[in-house]
Amino acid sequence: YAVTWYHSPNFELAVPDWVCILNGYCTIAYYTLDCMDGKQARRTGTSSPLGQLFDHGFDCICNLAHLSNIGAFAMFGGSYYYFLVQATLQFCFFMAQWEEYYTHILPHATGNIGVTEVNYAMGLISLFNGFIDREAVYKAPVHQFLPQAILDMVPHSHTHYTEEYELRHFLSIMWTIFSFGLISLSFLRTFTYLKDPWMCAVAASKLLSPALLSLGLFWIRPVIIQDFSREISVAFGLAFSIITKKMIIYSMAKMSFAALQLEILPLLVFGVFWNMFDHRLTKPGVELLWRSLCVWYAYRLISFARGAINEICARLDINCFTIKQKNTKDKIE
């Protein structure tokens, strides 16, 4: 993530080929290790809710790395297309935890396509992108990649869309359509499990906070999106991560999750509405504001995670990073 940030601060510059190869390797290595930790914990008899928090919590943070990876080769920063991908990706991830909160089953696949296939595919695609002319491919008009039979079906009055839209824009829209399919299936499974209309309404209300965050990305003025894509992405990504981790913990602890999470208010008030209505803000002022929000949400995320980890460790009498040895009396018993 840091290397990609250095070479493409706003997700709009072409990165060196080796950066795409590095991103691909890191993605594959990350997911391979991610699949191993649970098996190792069960093998040693040390699996616990703390492990689930670390596993899913870091997966949530890694969404930002995946987004940065996509931005590195698609180069669609500075536009709403990038945030269309971010909003749908992070909302889908929250939906998975939301579904587990109610059904006690964490969805990890739809049919034969699941998180394993998606993560390894992202890694391989990134590796592949290290060997092609990415600007020539992703910035090319989409009509160059569509069969003539499909182009003939486009009304003459709409042909300018296929000529103006680039492949990177088309792919972001395709991902969005795919994401809405996943979201619809999550609704269907959860509502089928709950059955009661009132419970379904209550469950749907828990999606208010992630929905506001997702919509908030598109309330930000285009000129700010253009100049501060990275800062906006980090601030919203960290805010999403906080409320997602809360859903993970509250699901394990069987606690009530509030429909409106107060954690999102600073971002909506200062990052969205202030920028929307106060045009007196200068460019340095906007930059300071968004960087301050990034620092604030990083602090809030670390503080919340630290508190949750300490409570879990104290409750289960375990250590965070080491396996606690049982004393002699416990062994005899």
Side-chain angles (χ1 to χ4, degrees), residues 27-294:
T27 300
I28 293 172
Y30 144 74
Y31 191 73
T32 301
L33 293 171
D34 185 41
C35 291
M36 292 169 59
D37 57 1
K39 299 182 187 300
Q40 171 69 359
R42 288 185 286 274
R43 186 184 71 84
T44 58
T46 56
S47 58
S48 71
L50 181 63
Q52 183 176 350
L53 173 60
F54 265 86
D55 192 328
H56 298 170
F58 275 106
D59 287 343
C60 186
I61 285 289
C62 283
N63 282 332
L64 284 175
H66 295 326
L67 288 163
S68 179
N69 183 14
I70 296 169
F73 58 78
M75 298 167 288
F76 53 9
S79 71
Y80 287 120
Y81 290 102
Y82 172 84
F83 290 106
L84 191 61
V85 174
Q86 175 164 357
T88 50
L89 173 61
Q90 296 204 275
F91 193 89
C92 282
F93 192 91
F94 183 91
M95 283 286 290
Q97 314 307 319
W98 170 82
E99 183 175 339
E100 184 184 25
Y101 181 85
Y102 284 101
T103 66
H104 316 296
I105 298 173
L106 180 66
H108 57 82
T110 298
N112 294 323
I113 305 297
V115 291
T116 299
E117 290 76 15
V118 170
N119 275 278
Y120 282 129
M122 282 197 298
L124 293 174
I125 289 171
S126 187
L127 289 173
F128 173 75
N129 275 284
F131 299 95
I132 65 172
D133 185 348
R134 295 176 297 283
E135 289 194 85
V137 173
Y138 291 102
K139 292 186 178 182
V142 70
H143 71 81
Q144 295 184 12
F145 303 91
L146 295 177
Q148 188 60 44
I150 294 179
L151 292 175
D152 292 340
M153 296 171 59
V154 179
H156 181 71
S157 59
H158 292 76
T159 54
H160 64 281
Y161 289 117
T162 60
E163 296 172 357
E164 294 175 1
Y165 279 87
E166 299 170 359
L167 178 63
R168 53 185 178 168
H169 305 147
F170 176 77
L171 292 176
S172 70
I173 293 173
M174 290 299 99
W175 164 259
T176 302
I177 294 172
F178 174 71
S179 298
F180 274 106
L182 295 179
I183 292 169
S184 300
L185 290 173
S186 185
F187 271 119
L188 178 63
R189 290 190 297 263
T190 305
F191 289 171
T192 301
Y193 178 86
L194 294 175
K195 297 180 181 178
D196 181 65
W198 172 250
M199 284 300 300
C200 291
V202 172
S205 71
K206 308 298 184 183
L207 298 172
L208 175 62
S209 292
L212 288 174
L213 283 178
S214 299
L215 293 173
L217 285 165
F218 303 97
W219 293 335
I220 301 172
R221 285 183 289 139
V223 65
I224 297 176
I225 290 285
Q226 183 176 355
D227 293 332
F228 303 105
S229 286
R230 177 75 67 164
E231 289 83 356
I232 295 170
S233 176
V234 170
F236 272 90
L238 293 176
F240 249 113
S241 184
I242 292 173
I243 64 172
T244 304
K245 285 176 176 58
K246 282 189 174 183
M247 179 60 81
I248 294 170
I249 293 173
Y250 291 3
S251 177
M252 291 189 294
K254 295 179 173 56
M255 297 169 60
S256 177
F257 183 87
L260 180 61
Q261 293 291 315
L262 299 182
E263 293 286 358
I264 71 172
L265 293 183
L267 189 56
L268 294 180
V269 172
F270 297 106
V272 176
F273 295 115
W274 191 7
N275 280 281
M276 182 190 302
F277 297 111
D278 192 349
H279 292 246
R280 296 172 299 175
L281 282 173
T282 62
K283 187 173 181 179
V286 174
E287 182 177 19
L288 176 62
L289 173 61
W290 279 105
R291 291 191 175 184
S292 298
L293 286 170
C294 290

